[in-house]
Amino acid sequence: MDIDLGRLPRAEVSTPVAYDERLELVLAATGDGVWDIGLREHSVYTSARLAEMLGYPDHAEFSASFRPAAQLHVEDRARVMAAVRAALRDPRNGFDETFRLRCRDGAFRWLRARGCVVRDAQERPARFCGALSDVTEQVESARTTRENEQRFRALTALSADWYWASDAQHRFQEVVGDNQRRSAPAITLGLARWDIPSVGMSDEVWARHRAQMERHETFRDFEVRRLDERGRLRVYLTSGEPRFDAAGCFIGYHGVGRDITELREAEAERQRFEAQLREAQRVEAIGTLAGGIAHDFNNILGAILGNLELARHEVDPDHPIQERLALIRQSADRARNLVRQILAFSRHRLENARPQPIQPIIDEALAMLRATLPAGVALELKLVDEPVTVVADATQIHQVAMNLCINAWQALANEHGHIQVGLDLQDAPVRGAGGGLAPGQYAHLWVRDDGCGMDAVTRARIFEPFFTTKPVGQGTGLGLPVVHGIVAAHSGVITVDSEPGLGTTFHVYLPTAPTSPAVEAAVPPLPGERAAGPRAARVLLLDDDDVMVLVERGLLERAGHAVRVFRRGEDVLAAVRASSAEFDVVVTDLNMPEVSGLDLVQRMAAMGSTLPVVMISGYLTREAERMARQYGVREVVCKEELVEELAGAVDRALRAQA
């Protein structure tokens, strides 16, 4: 019931009330307890409320047992007693202390005591009195808050996440994180979230995010890119939710953030390696297909060249057909060169590889190039002075340098521009120079032009055979694929940097080798060594292709050899088992049904046969060539070189056997 003290009757307002009763009413309203200690008479007065606060239902029991100093918590006793002595000593000292007092059940309650010392006429302490408030809940709440804050800060310091808070105007008030580990960004407090510069964030994205926060919506995993104190780009992922006071009014945001820079860099690195793997698998698949095509084409080409050579020797040199046959030979030679390029791309041929300095090879290629470059093209060299030694086939490395330089020349507009060729040593390839290279030192050859450059679509296809940006009839599209195959065959890597209008740079990385001693000059044969010529031999010929049998037999018989033809490997094994003395040498195709050329050689060795073997193949992988040498094959002849090499290979095998 509401009471208006101004409307009460004067008698009720002025009704006398005892002083002690009025005091009790006030104390009951505040919920405080009272104490009054008579310092001279050693008396102690306590109110009933104080007894209740300490768990005593009977005030008389409490009054009889209350001993303030004894009931103080041991940790608070010295501090409280010092404050009492200070109040007694100097009237300017008040008394306001919070401490723990033991209750009836032995537990402790937190009490706040505010009192004063009453002095007599001579300023001597007479009474010590005051009021006590139960503040247990407030103290425990404050302690819990402090412990939670300490726990929060400890966890924040250990965590990769950081905590942030902003006010109702979205200005940062607090950022808690381990800045030494860069888990939290350097943020100027007082700035609004969108007033702090972000790298690569469009105004549209910021506008949507700002509208979301102004609608007081929770947001998750919002990515922000900022520069740290060292100028390095950092990527942060933040989440936040709005804060409201007890009345439901918006008072700001708080949330967490995480530095995900290393994660984003790792993702980019993984994507780069996945792209390299896909590219390597794609090029490998194309190379395998190209090698298979080359094998089938070599069978046809070997038959064409072989029959052509035999036909030219069977027709009079002055016969008009010789001109036609020469044109056919010219076309066949072009086809043979095409097959060689395909095989080089498919990484199945590495001939005459030896440790040698690479500078002379590049110098020779550039000397040839200078003679053909137009006057408007400037060629600049940046070659390292110290020798750079690699295990390489000089002819193929020469082809790499020529192809890259010609490609750079053709990229220049109107045959005017600049080409730079450089060579240096690197302890390890630069970042992004290609996966799969072992740590170590590499020869780094680069060819740079300031031509038209390439877009991403073109860059993705430059190593595909027959892909070209030139008009029809102005290129086969095999130049760069051949370079790729040669570099891979040398256990190297080739990469390209190019953008439309910014030119192109090709980088070739080849593993280096210890500097080799000077190569001894070849000793010319003694007079009469060549005059002796190849001796006639009994040749066992194995091939299942009728056309190739005619060609190979014709070439061998023209060289003076007696040839016996077999079509199946089992028949050859039976003939050798019966009498290997009937033959001087075995000539076999590699790819045979039932018993392959490698199987034949292995089984002949198991039988104890010592006949020298010459192997013919249109598609010889490095692994197959290694196995052939391991099984004792003396000579290996590629079918596109059958006309020039077969007779000589048989002769060399016979000489080695002798």
Side-chain angles (χ1 to χ4, degrees):
M1 180 179 66
D2 295 332
I3 299 175
D4 187 353
L5 296 177
R7 293 173 178 267
L8 290 175
R10 181 176 299 271
E12 293 184 24
V13 175
S14 60
T15 300
V17 178
Y19 176 80
D20 289 344
E21 184 180 353
R22 185 181 297 117
L23 178 60
E24 290 294 337
L25 290 173
V26 172
L27 293 176
T30 61
D32 291 344
V34 174
W35 88 88
D36 186 1
I37 301 175
L39 300 176
R40 293 177 181 175
E41 59 272 18
H42 302 290
S43 63
V44 177
Y45 167 78
T46 59
S47 65
R49 174 58 186 154
L50 179 57
E52 293 177 6
M53 291 164 57
L54 296 178
Y56 288 86
D58 184 0
H59 186 214
E61 178 190 356
F62 173 71
S63 298
S65 61
F66 181 55
R67 299 293 183 269
Q71 290 180 239
L72 275 170
H73 194 284
V74 65
E75 295 177 1
D76 304 330
R77 188 173 300 159
R79 171 175 55 83
V80 173
M81 297 309 295
V84 171
R85 286 192 294 270
L88 294 174
R89 184 173 56 252
D90 191 339
R92 291 172 298 181
N93 294 331
F95 182 82
D96 188 346
E97 292 292 328
T98 301
F99 49 83
R100 286 160 288 186
L101 208 60
R102 188 173 60 247
C103 302
R104 186 172 185 269
D105 59 2
F108 285 88
R109 303 288 294 179
W110 282 94
L111 304 178
R112 181 181 179 185
R114 285 166 288 186
C116 63
V117 176
V118 179
R119 299 176 183 273
D120 60 15
Q122 288 76 34
E123 293 296 323
R124 291 175 300 183
R127 298 168 61 192
F128 181 44
C129 57
L132 289 139
S133 303
D134 189 336
V135 293
T136 302
E137 293 184 1
Q138 295 92 314
V139 171
E140 294 294 341
S141 177
R143 183 169 60 184
T144 301
T145 301
R146 286 195 305 271
E147 290 175 352
N148 288 340
E149 182 177 355
Q150 291 172 355
R151 189 179 298 111
F152 164 73
R153 292 185 180 275
L155 291 175
T156 303
L158 294 173
S159 173
D161 293 342
W162 43 275
Y163 170 82
W164 60 271
S166 61
D167 60 16
Q169 285 72 44
H170 306 288
R171 295 173 301 207
F172 282 104
Q173 294 177 306
E174 185 179 16
V175 176
V176 180
D178 187 356
N179 291 314
Q180 298 301 319
R181 293 187 293 111
R182 292 292 182 269
S183 64
I187 294 178
T188 302
L189 300 183
L191 287 180
R193 183 177 180 84
W194 34 79
D195 290 338
I196 300 176
S198 180
V199 180
M201 187 74 70
S202 67
D203 294 340
E204 181 181 358
V205 172
W206 269 123
R208 289 200 301 267
H209 182 56
R210 181 171 183 170
Q212 183 183 28
M213 294 187 70
E214 289 178 345
R215 292 193 300 266
H216 306 158
E217 297 177 355
T218 298
F219 61 90
R220 305 287 185 205
D221 299 336
F222 182 74
E223 190 169 304
V224 181
R225 298 171 181 265
R226 294 194 171 102
L227 298 178
D228 62 13
E229 298 90 338
R230 301 178 183 178
R232 182 188 176 190
L233 179 65
R234 311 294 300 183
V235 184
Y236 303 106
L237 203 65
T238 62
S239 300
E241 64 178 7
R243 295 182 297 148
F244 301 93
D245 61 15
C249 297
F250 173 73
I251 59 173
Y253 264 89
H254 66 169
V256 294
R258 171 169 292 189
D259 188 331
I260 59 169
T261 304
E262 283 72 20
L263 176 62
R264 287 289 182 262
E265 290 175 349
E267 289 177 351
E269 189 78 356
R270 177 181 56 79
Q271 292 172 359
R272 185 177 66 81
F273 277 114
E274 287 179 352
Q276 287 179 347
L277 177 60
R278 289 193 297 270
E279 177 67 12
Q281 291 173 337
R282 184 175 63 86
V283 173
E284 182 69 24
I286 295 174
T288 302
L289 176 62
I293 294 173
H295 168 253
D296 293 337
F297 191 57
N298 265 339
N299 286 331
I300 301 171
L301 188 59
I304 293 174
L305 288 169
N307 283 300
L308 179 62
E309 187 68 16
L310 294 173
R312 290 181 64 187
H313 284 80
E314 293 176 3
V315 178
D316 188 82
D318 297 327
H319 195 284
I321 198 65
Q322 287 286 2
E323 183 178 357
R324 302 283 185 181
L325 294 176
L327 292 175
I328 296 174
R329 177 58 188 259
Q330 183 179 357
S331 298
D333 283 340
R334 291 177 59 189
R336 179 166 60 177
N337 289 333
L338 186 62
V339 170
R340 286 173 176 169
Q341 292 187 73
I342 294 174
L343 288 175
F345 163 73
S346 56
R347 304 195 296 272
H348 297 303
R349 299 288 299 277
L350 183 58
E351 302 171 352
N352 304 320
R354 62 181 179 83
Q356 56 188 310
I358 194 174
Q359 287 101 325
I361 304 174
I362 299 174
D363 286 336
E364 181 182 351
L366 297 181
M368 295 178 58
L369 186 67
R370 279 194 179 95
T372 58
L373 284 177
V377 177
L379 181 62
E380 178 188 1
L381 268 64
K382 287 191 173 183
L383 304 183
V384 69
D385 293 333
E386 58 183 304
V388 180
T389 304
V390 297
V391 177
D393 183 324
T395 302
Q396 293 190 3
I397 297 301
H398 184 280
Q399 186 177 5
V400 168
M402 287 294 294
N403 282 9
L404 291 179
C405 290
I406 292 173
N407 189 77
W409 170 18
Q410 294 173 344
L412 301 177
N414 301 320
E415 296 190 338
H416 283 78
H418 182 263
I419 299 175
Q420 184 184 83
V421 180
L423 176 68
D424 59 23
L425 286 168
Q426 291 192 1
D427 290 335
V430 295
R431 186 179 182 88
L437 288 181
Q441 193 175 60
Y442 289 83
H444 173 215
L445 168 68
W446 77 89
V447 178
R448 180 179 297 120
D449 67 70
D450 55 1
C452 58
M454 295 178 285
D455 57 21
V457 175
T458 303
R459 289 198 307 271
R461 300 191 61 190
I462 55 175
F463 296 123
E464 293 181 9
F466 309 113
F467 172 77
T468 178
T469 58
K470 301 181 182 69
V472 177
Q474 295 188 20
T476 62
L478 282 173
L480 290 177
V482 166
V483 169
H484 185 281
I486 292 174
V487 172
H490 285 76
S491 301
V493 161
I494 180 171
T495 64
V496 60
D497 298 325
S498 185
E499 293 294 337
L502 299 179
T504 300
T505 303
F506 282 93
H507 301 271
V508 175
Y509 298 91
L510 299 174
T512 58
T515 304
S516 60
V519 180
E520 297 182 0
V523 179
L526 296 173
E529 283 187 346
R530 290 180 179 172
R535 66 182 178 88
R538 297 166 297 173
V539 179
L540 187 159
L541 175 63
L542 172 62
D543 202 317
D544 65 329
D545 188 290
D546 293 337
V547 176
M548 291 305 301
V549 165
L550 292 175
V551 173
E552 294 158 359
R553 182 172 188 170
L555 292 174
L556 292 170
E557 288 179 344
R558 194 183 72 181
H561 302 300
V563 181
R564 183 177 173 185
V565 177
F566 289 84
R567 305 301 179 96
R568 297 176 62 251
E570 293 291 352
D571 296 338
V572 170
L573 293 171
V576 172
R577 188 181 297 110
S579 178
S580 62
E582 294 184 13
F583 308 102
D584 299 312
V585 63
V586 175
V587 178
T588 178
D589 190 16
L590 171 64
N591 294 289
M592 296 283 297
E594 299 178 0
V595 180
S596 70
L598 290 176
D599 292 337
L600 177 70
V601 175
Q602 191 176 18
R603 292 173 65 177
M604 286 176 57
M607 292 165 49
S609 172
T610 59
L611 286 173
V613 177
V614 175
M615 188 167 291
I616 301 172
S617 175
Y619 180 67
L620 186 65
T621 65
R622 295 175 64 181
E623 179 64 17
E625 185 173 6
R626 184 191 65 80
M627 294 179 62
R629 301 295 185 188
Q630 179 181 339
Y631 293 157
V633 174
R634 296 291 175 82
E635 297 287 332
V636 177
V637 179
C638 295
K639 286 188 177 179
E640 76 271 17
E641 299 170 349
L642 199 64
V643 173
E644 295 87 349
E645 295 293 333
L646 181 58
V650 171
D651 182 52
R652 289 191 296 274
L654 291 170
R655 288 176 183 272
Q657 183 72 6

